[in-house]
Amino acid sequence: MTKGAFQTSREIFENPIWQDVIKFRIFFFIVGNAVFAEEGVTIQNIHVKRGQFLRSYRNLVNDLEYLDNRSLKKYSISVISKKIDQLVKEERLKIESTELGTLFTVVNYDEYQGFDRYKKESENGARTAREHSENSPRTERERSENNNNNVNKDKNDKNVKKESKKDKTAFEDYTSNPTLLESLNSFLEYRKKIKKPMTDRAIKLLLGELDKLANNDQDKIAILEQSILNGWQGIFPLKAQQGKQYKPTNAKQEIKIVEKSSGGGVSDEEFQELLRMAERMESEKGSANGAGYG
């Protein structure tokens, strides 16, 4: 048996071969006993080159015996042959039959046993550590700047969501009818379009007034639609007179969409948007009635 030492990479522990005990033992045994000398060796009439190992399968059976439960055990030739065939298929070994046994050639033996590879790995490791040390202060500074930007963005997003959440919570607490919820949100958007956004108190008063004017969801939806269709700032009782809708007598409570004074009228684009909103609410009302809402 060859004396001396050989080297191996720690990468072996991350390689799938590590999980196959028999295959690992065979491969490790062959690598460890392969010829290291550049000039190789001659055994009888066979020249064994660097990275090669000459051994019969029958001798490998004895070489690989192991202790189990205080008794020596051996792998069968068929098991050893099967594992060697797998090593050949994985391109870890090459095999050649000779009169003295099988000549095993370790593929990439020089890479396993050459010092240049480990020297380069050491240099690369040192360079990586140096670059990491140089980049750490910059990375930390960039991370801090990004965190500050994210905090500011989160604050802005929270402020926007907070304002929206107040309205939605008030409406959702008021009703679970999806059609009425849609009408309330549409009225809220309509008030924003006409430059008259509603405060929390105004929303509370709106809901209270709705309860006074109607005792069912269908009428409440109609009241909200009536105000949007007529361009009214507030809500008023329904009054159906041959298809005509009620109009408030107090001029201060009425906002005409078609007005275009410099004192807060709406643009053509906003006017068209309000019309589309009203048509959508009318359509949704029809769908709701068909589905049994109200």
Side-chain angles (χ1 to χ4, degrees):
M1 196 69 62
T2 305
K3 303 296 182 181
F6 71 99
Q7 62 185 5
T8 187
S9 171
R10 291 189 179 92
E11 294 173 358
I12 193 71
F13 303 119
E14 301 173 3
N15 196 287
I17 196 176
W18 176 254
Q19 307 299 325
D20 190 326
V21 176
I22 301 175
K23 190 196 300 186
F24 174 76
R25 292 193 72 217
I26 294 172
F27 182 67
F28 204 73
F29 182 81
I30 293 173
V31 172
N33 286 283
V35 174
F36 182 79
E38 291 287 349
E39 64 277 11
V41 297
T42 300
I43 301 175
Q44 294 185 19
N45 295 326
I46 300 175
H47 182 67
V48 183
K49 301 177 183 177
R50 174 179 166 86
Q52 291 184 327
F53 178 53
L54 182 62
R55 200 69 169 172
S56 68
Y57 279 67
R58 190 170 300 280
N59 283 333
L60 283 177
V61 169
N62 296 322
D63 295 334
L64 296 169
E65 66 180 4
Y66 60 98
L67 187 65
D68 183 27
N69 243 356
R70 297 186 179 182
S71 62
L72 287 175
K73 293 187 178 181
K74 299 179 181 182
Y75 305 123
S76 66
I77 290 180
S78 62
V79 169
I80 292 175
S81 177
K82 178 181 177 181
K83 295 299 179 180
I84 289 176
D85 287 344
Q86 291 176 7
L87 289 167
V88 171
K89 187 175 181 180
E90 294 168 5
E91 297 184 349
R92 300 180 190 277
L93 294 177
K94 291 181 180 179
I95 56 176
E96 179 184 348
S97 296
T98 72
E99 58 187 15
L100 296 180
T102 300
L103 183 63
F104 298 95
T105 301
V106 179
V107 179
N108 297 326
Y109 180 81
D110 286 336
E111 184 177 347
Y112 295 137
Q113 300 303 309
F115 290 100
D116 289 343
R117 175 190 179 189
Y118 301 103
K119 182 179 179 181
K120 288 179 181 178
E121 288 180 352
S122 178
E123 291 174 351
N124 290 337
R127 183 170 65 251
T128 300
R130 184 174 64 254
E131 291 173 351
H132 177 73
S133 177
E134 293 172 352
N135 290 335
S136 290
R138 184 174 68 240
T139 303
E140 186 63 32
R141 184 174 66 254
E142 292 172 349
R143 186 183 297 113
S144 178
E145 292 173 353
N146 290 335
N147 287 340
N148 291 335
N149 291 335
N150 290 335
V151 168
N152 292 333
K153 183 178 182 299
D154 288 343
K155 285 182 178 178
N156 292 334
D157 290 344
K158 285 179 181 177
N159 290 335
V160 173
K161 291 178 180 178
K162 189 176 180 181
E163 180 180 351
S164 174
K165 189 175 181 182
K166 284 182 182 178
D167 304 336
K168 290 183 178 179
T169 301
F171 291 158
E172 289 170 356
D173 288 343
Y174 179 73
T175 180
S176 60
N177 185 328
T179 308
L180 180 54
L181 276 174
E182 180 66 24
S183 296
L184 286 166
N185 286 321
S186 296
F187 186 76
L188 194 68
E189 290 299 318
Y190 155 72
R191 285 288 298 265
K192 292 177 182 178
K193 291 287 184 182
I194 64 173
K195 309 296 190 284
K196 295 291 182 179
M198 300 185 72
T199 62
D200 291 345
R201 177 168 172 74
I203 290 173
K204 185 177 180 180
L205 293 173
L206 170 72
L207 298 177
E209 188 65 18
L210 264 181
D211 285 336
K212 293 178 183 178
L213 296 177
N215 56 12
N216 62 74
D217 289 354
Q218 185 174 349
D219 287 346
K220 292 175 182 179
I221 293 168
I223 288 171
L224 292 166
E225 292 176 354
Q226 174 180 260
S227 292
I228 293 176
L229 285 169
N230 289 281
W232 299 339
Q233 180 176 335
I235 56 173
F236 306 94
L238 287 173
K239 188 163 185 178
Q241 294 179 344
Q242 298 178 351
K244 296 182 179 179
Q245 293 175 313
Y246 172 79
K247 293 185 179 180
T249 56
N250 186 348
K252 291 183 179 180
Q253 292 178 313
E254 182 178 359
I255 296 181
K256 295 182 180 179
I257 297 178
V258 295
E259 179 183 333
K260 291 188 178 180
S261 65
S262 59
V266 297
S267 66
D268 290 338
E269 292 181 357
E270 292 170 328
F271 173 71
Q272 293 299 327
E273 176 64 23
L274 291 172
L275 283 180
R276 284 193 292 271
M277 184 184 300
E279 290 172 355
R280 185 173 66 252
M281 290 181 65
E282 187 67 25
S283 174
E284 290 170 352
K285 176 186 175 184
S287 299
N289 290 337
Y293 292 120

